Amino acid sequence: MATFLYKLGRISFRRRHLVALIWVALLTLAGVGAASAPAAGNSSFSIPGTEAQKAFDLLEQRFPGMSADGATARVVFKAPSGEKMTDPGNKATVQETVKELADGSEVASVTDPYRAKAVSKDGTIAYAQVSYKVSGMELDDAAKDALQDTAQDAREAGLTVEIGGDALQAVPHTGSSEIIGIAVAAVVLVITFGSLVAAGLPLLTALIGVGIGVSSITALASALDLGSTTSTLAMMIGLAVGIDYALFIVSRYRAELAEGRDREEAVGRAVGTAGSAVVFAGLTVVIALVGLSVVNIPMLTKMGIAAAGTVAIAVLIALTMVPALLGYAGRRVKPAGEKGKLLGRAKAQDAPAKPAKPNLGTRWASFVVRRPIAVLLLGVVGLGAAAVPAASLELGLPDDGSQPTSTTQRRAYDLLSEGFGPGFNGPLMVVVDAKGSDDPKAAFTATGDEIKGLKDVVTVTPAQPNKAGDTATITVIPGSKPSSVTTENLVHGIRDAGAGIKADTDANVLVTGSTAMNIDVSEKLNDALVPYLVLVVGLAFLLLIVVFRSILVPLKAALGFLLSVMAALGAVVAVFQWGWLADLMGVEQTGPVMSMMPIFMVGVVFGLAMDYEVFLVTRMREAYVHGEKPAQAVVTGFRHGARVVTAAAVIMMAVFAGFIGSSESMVKMIGFGLAIAVFFDAFVVRMAIVPAVLALLGRKAWWLPKWLDRVLPNVDVEGEGLRTADDKDKELVHA
């Protein structure tokens, strides 16, 4: 591995014009594809294998004109104080509004509140339901504008009018905080390298990699049904790892220059050693992201694969374009320890006579090696305390009730709750498939009667059969809000009752609707979490055994990851569910944590956690293999790697934190969760717990059974194959 990458680095350095041309051509090609591709909105959402999805698919077959997947809008009207919606003037305004709403070419149907009995008991609130022929992602802007304009006309007539449903879904934006994250990364790079040129290389290569990845996703978005969140996630992760991977190679290049090697040789060795760590770190991230496909939720699978592709591009750019740009930079990138013009140039005659003071990484590692038990206990207890809120984790998927109160969707949600009860915002659709029944009508009646006897049921509408008379829909209004445990229990109660109905009438009873779909998604994700953990952690564990040639080091890495991810989940619960620091984070509405957040954080955080494990511990492994004692190898690893790992972690935190400004609650939550997880993992686990454990284990940390040592391939991450006779002589002199 090291020898191959060494040659690749030197070739990229010598043929820099060709390498740069290839990457610029790829960026241009992807950009042209993105510019010419049709725009894509929110991805379609399907959950194969769940009862809610089966019912949805059945509706598509048995009710072909129903537009079951079409967008919906609930236009909610409230009468002025002291008036009612049944007053002649208000009634005329609503009926005129309904007439205008029905004029749209994409509108399938509009219900009249007075005919559909959609007026509250006290007469103050009414609603009209608008169904569209196309899904929310396909709905024209003109149709959305017409919907809002019609509502505004009713407002001018004196009514309070709000609009709920998915017809007004907007493409999320990240805001200016994303740019602030990149600016912070630039400042950290300048401080780390002391040179604008050296600092600019990781930023430039990361932006090129993200540009290619995101442009490719945009170009394929319509064809592959990729939502806007997919490209946002790819940008978030690709930018963070792209900067970090380039940072490690440039840093190692400067260290090789400081050893007195010429620039081409220094590039080769940097790519052969740090590049090997980049390859394996990237592989762990790719494994974690691609592994999301085991959940069998298409949207999550597409997000994971798209982000993994962007990470793969970041690895390839770090191995090829970074060496090429170092060739262009020439002497403007200084050896380690030598400052550029920006921060002042160190001169030989100014060199101090006494030995240089150990850097902060060396001093910290020496302290940890002397006090490993105290540091280990403090780190574990601290992360354990941060993880406590995770015990109160409540999962759910966002609906209009989780929107900020400033939005019309949230105000419509609140008006419907006020007029018709909290369960009205989460109606359950019961589908009765009586195709195999001798008496379908009796099956429909029996189902409705059975549901009426269940707890927390407010309303059960009469069965609405299809033209063939073999399938019917029944709408059930719960007494509790959609995200409550009581409503979840009602869904399970209807499904349990369906078994008895099946035995009596041979009719299948299925429950669907957005509320039932959310419940099924949460359960599917919970069921998939353990298999996903086993798959991803197991594969990465095997990979790290090959990298470190040790059993205990990968085991320690995995256990440390569990600590950091649990602490990060605790922080997410504290902010987004409990409301701690909610104003600071821009969280306008607290509520359940999104169902996919735990499994998503497990995957992404594991991949990123292994990045720092590989970068930091490979330097320790390198020192140990070259003859240093275990404790001294820990200190050496920190002397060479702590500054760069710290800079990489701060950069990654800044990039992720930049997405907290997104208008999309999912992106905001992911940005915060990943930023705090990187903080916990880099600064508590990798910088404190890892050296403490390695100091306690001593030589046992690097133990590997002889039979396994013979079987495992030698990937030579330490660059042992690159050592020359001169290198070995230097080591003997230092020893």
Side-chain angles (χ1 to χ4, degrees):
M1 171 69 79
T3 304
F4 169 76
L5 294 178
Y6 167 80
K7 294 177 181 178
L8 179 63
R10 295 192 63 161
I11 291 172
S12 299
F13 183 89
R14 289 198 303 268
R15 304 290 180 86
R16 47 186 170 270
H17 300 311
L18 177 61
V19 171
L21 181 63
I22 290 173
W23 283 112
V24 171
L26 288 174
L27 178 61
T28 304
L29 185 65
V32 170
S36 58
N42 295 307
S43 176
S44 59
F45 195 78
S46 63
I47 314 295
T50 61
E51 180 173 315
Q53 186 65 46
K54 290 176 182 176
F56 184 83
D57 295 339
L58 185 65
L59 288 174
E60 291 271 307
Q61 298 172 10
R62 306 285 175 84
F63 293 83
M66 187 177 180
S67 298
D69 62 341
T72 60
R74 276 181 170 175
V75 182
V76 188
F77 306 90
K78 184 175 182 179
S81 178
E83 299 181 17
K84 293 189 176 183
M85 291 306 304
T86 51
D87 292 346
N90 294 334
K91 186 174 182 178
T93 300
V94 172
Q95 289 177 330
E96 179 62 28
T97 302
V98 169
K99 183 179 178 181
E100 291 180 17
L101 289 171
D103 287 341
S105 60
E106 293 182 325
V107 175
S109 64
V110 181
T111 61
D112 185 317
Y114 304 101
R115 294 182 181 178
K117 298 181 180 179
V119 180
S120 62
K121 289 182 179 179
D122 62 5
T124 60
I125 297 173
Y127 74 91
Q129 176 118 349
V130 185
S131 300
Y132 291 89
K133 299 174 184 177
V134 296
S135 63
M137 64 177 290
E138 298 170 322
L139 197 61
D140 287 342
D141 289 339
K144 296 179 181 180
D145 292 341
L147 176 63
Q148 292 176 311
D149 291 343
T150 304
Q152 183 59 36
D153 292 341
R155 291 190 188 102
E156 291 174 358
L159 298 178
T160 298
V161 186
E162 305 296 347
I163 306 170
D166 60 353
L168 292 183
Q169 281 183 341
V171 176
H173 59 84
T174 55
S176 60
S177 53
E178 176 189 345
I179 300 173
I180 295 174
I182 297 176
V184 171
V187 172
V188 173
L189 287 169
V190 170
I191 294 173
T192 303
F193 291 136
S195 163
L196 286 175
V197 175
L201 287 179
L203 276 178
L204 177 60
T205 54
L207 289 172
I208 291 174
V210 167
I212 294 172
V214 173
S215 296
S216 300
I217 292 170
T218 304
L220 298 171
S222 180
L224 300 182
D225 191 24
L226 304 177
S228 56
T229 306
T230 303
S231 59
T232 304
L233 174 66
M235 181 189 301
M236 183 191 303
I237 296 178
L239 194 60
V241 300
I243 294 174
D244 278 8
Y245 294 165
L247 166 65
F248 279 98
I249 290 179
V250 173
S251 178
R252 186 60 183 256
Y253 168 73
R254 296 177 73 235
E256 296 293 338
L257 287 179
E259 292 288 329
R261 296 185 174 87
D262 65 67
R263 295 188 179 276
E264 184 175 330
E265 178 68 13
V267 163
R269 286 179 173 250
V271 176
T273 52
S276 297
V278 165
V279 169
F280 283 100
L283 273 176
T284 58
V285 180
V286 169
I287 287 172
L289 290 169
V290 174
L292 290 170
S293 59
V294 303
V295 183
N296 196 27
I297 294 179
M299 184 185 75
L300 201 57
T301 299
K302 292 171 185 176
M303 289 172 63
I305 293 176
T310 307
V311 171
I313 292 171
V315 171
L316 292 174
I317 281 188
L319 299 178
T320 57
M321 193 167 186
V322 169
L325 293 181
L326 288 172
Y328 284 118
R331 296 183 180 278
R332 288 186 290 272
V333 177
K334 307 296 180 183
E338 184 177 336
K339 302 293 184 183
K341 291 182 180 180
L342 182 67
L343 298 180
R345 187 187 304 276
K347 298 181 181 179
Q349 61 266 32
D350 296 332
K354 60 182 181 179
K357 182 181 178 181
N359 62 22
L360 182 60
T362 302
R363 298 198 299 273
W364 169 250
S366 300
F367 170 78
V368 174
V369 167
R370 291 195 306 270
R371 303 282 189 275
I373 295 178
V375 172
L376 178 61
L377 287 176
L378 185 62
V380 172
V381 171
L383 290 178
V388 168
S392 303
L393 178 66
E394 295 178 9
L395 298 177
L397 287 177
D399 55 18
D400 286 347
S402 62
Q403 297 268 10
T405 53
S406 58
T407 62
T408 186
Q409 292 94 329
R410 173 58 189 277
R411 291 195 292 265
Y413 181 97
D414 292 340
L415 284 176
L416 288 171
S417 296
E418 176 188 338
F420 302 93
F424 196 79
N425 282 293
L428 306 175
M429 180 177 286
V430 178
V431 182
V432 185
D433 179 9
K435 198 168 187 177
S437 176
D438 295 333
D439 190 350
K441 290 185 179 180
F444 301 154
T445 303
T447 303
D449 292 341
E450 186 72 23
I451 294 173
K452 289 177 183 177
L454 298 177
K455 292 182 180 179
D456 201 47
V457 172
V458 174
T459 305
V460 178
T461 65
Q464 301 293 322
N466 62 351
K467 289 182 179 180
D470 58 5
T471 308
T473 60
I474 299 173
T475 301
V476 179
I477 306 298
S480 303
K481 64 181 182 178
S483 59
S484 68
V485 176
T486 308
T487 301
E488 182 178 347
N489 292 336
L490 174 59
V491 170
H492 290 303
I494 296 173
R495 288 172 175 171
D496 292 341
I501 296 170
K502 170 71 174 175
D504 295 337
T505 66
D506 289 327
N508 291 316
V509 177
L510 305 173
V511 185
T512 189
S514 59
T515 301
M517 184 72 82
N518 289 352
I519 292 169
D520 287 352
V521 170
S522 298
E523 292 179 352
K524 191 177 182 70
L525 288 166
N526 288 338
D527 293 342
L529 184 57
V530 173
Y532 176 69
L533 263 176
V534 171
L535 173 68
V536 172
V537 176
L539 286 175
F541 181 78
L542 295 175
L543 187 66
L544 292 179
I545 289 178
V546 174
V547 174
F548 297 127
R549 306 195 77 77
S550 163
I551 297 293
L552 295 179
V553 170
L555 180 62
K556 172 262 309 166
L559 293 176
F561 148 74
L562 291 176
L563 279 173
S564 59
V565 79
M566 288 303 297
L569 274 176
V572 169
V573 170
V575 173
F576 290 89
Q577 187 176 309
W578 292 359
W580 293 6
L581 303 178
D583 292 338
L584 181 63
M585 297 297 166
V587 180
E588 296 186 43
Q589 182 64 37
T590 59
V593 174
M594 276 177 297
S595 300
M596 63 180 65
M597 192 66 187
I599 199 166
F600 184 81
M601 281 191 66
V602 163
V604 177
V605 174
F606 183 78
L608 300 179
M610 295 306 103
D611 273 7
Y612 299 114
E613 181 75 14
V614 170
F615 289 136
L616 194 59
V617 180
T618 47
R619 293 306 295 258
M620 300 178 191
R621 167 79 182 170
E622 187 176 337
Y624 177 75
V625 168
H626 292 172
E628 292 189 6
K629 293 181 179 179
Q632 184 57 40
V634 171
V635 177
T636 300
F638 267 76
R639 182 172 70 249
H640 292 297
R643 178 184 175 88
V644 181
V645 168
T646 300
V650 171
I651 289 169
M652 195 170 279
M653 288 168 57
V655 172
F656 288 148
F659 289 85
I660 295 175
S662 174
S663 62
E664 174 66 43
S665 59
M666 178 178 178
V667 175
K668 182 189 292 286
M669 194 177 292
I670 289 174
F672 172 80
L674 294 184
I676 198 70
V678 168
F679 172 77
F680 287 143
D681 196 85
F683 293 107
V684 181
V685 175
R686 309 303 154 189
M687 291 287 189
I689 294 177
V690 165
V693 172
L694 290 177
L696 289 172
L697 291 175
R699 294 186 183 276
K700 295 177 183 177
W702 308 107
W703 171 80
L704 186 71
K706 292 183 179 179
W707 65 269
L708 186 57
D709 188 37
R710 289 192 298 269
V711 172
L712 291 178
N714 184 11
V715 295
D716 190 20
V717 177
E718 306 86 21
E720 184 70 16
L722 305 180
R723 295 171 69 217
T724 62
D726 183 54
D727 294 327
K728 296 175 183 177
D729 290 342
K730 286 181 181 179
E731 286 182 10
L732 289 174
V733 170
H734 289 305

